[in-house]
Amino acid sequence: MLAIIMMFVLGVCGIISIGCYIMVIIKMFQNDEATLGIICLVTLFCAIGGLITFVMGWVKADKLQTHQIMGIWSGAIVIGMIASFLAQ
């Protein structure tokens, strides 16, 4: 039963992560970081776009005003890791 609940939590964390990814990309385009936004979108298909977006979201948090989004995204990742560990 615990595994089923943890899988649900993982799904919710995944949805939150996707939403945060999209919001950070939108913030990049809104704040004259179109090149970075395009790089993050293109490299998503190479499996590193999410990581680049996450790192650059924190690095440029002041310029992009993404402190709250990045906090939520980081929390979703940590909770997802914990849920993944507990689901086994």
Side-chain angles (χ1 to χ4, degrees):
M1 184 65 177
L2 178 65
I4 295 170
I5 294 170
M6 291 301 113
M7 295 302 283
F8 175 76
V9 171
L10 276 169
V12 171
C13 289
I15 291 169
I16 291 170
S17 293
I18 291 169
C20 290
Y21 170 81
I22 292 168
M23 288 190 292
V24 171
I25 294 291
I26 290 170
K27 289 281 192 177
M28 286 178 181
F29 282 102
Q30 289 175 344
N31 290 293
D32 298 326
E33 293 285 343
T35 304
L36 181 59
I38 291 169
I39 290 170
C40 292
L41 285 171
V42 170
T43 58
L44 180 64
F45 301 108
C46 301
I48 60 169
L51 179 62
I52 293 171
T53 306
F54 184 78
V55 170
M56 294 310 294
W58 273 119
V59 169
K60 295 184 178 270
D62 289 330
K63 181 178 182 183
L64 301 176
Q65 300 173 348
T66 57
H67 290 285
Q68 187 175 10
I69 297 169
M70 295 309 298
I72 293 169
W73 196 359
S74 298
I77 290 171
V78 170
I79 291 170
M81 287 179 175
I82 293 168
S84 176
F85 177 74
L86 292 176
Q88 296 179 1

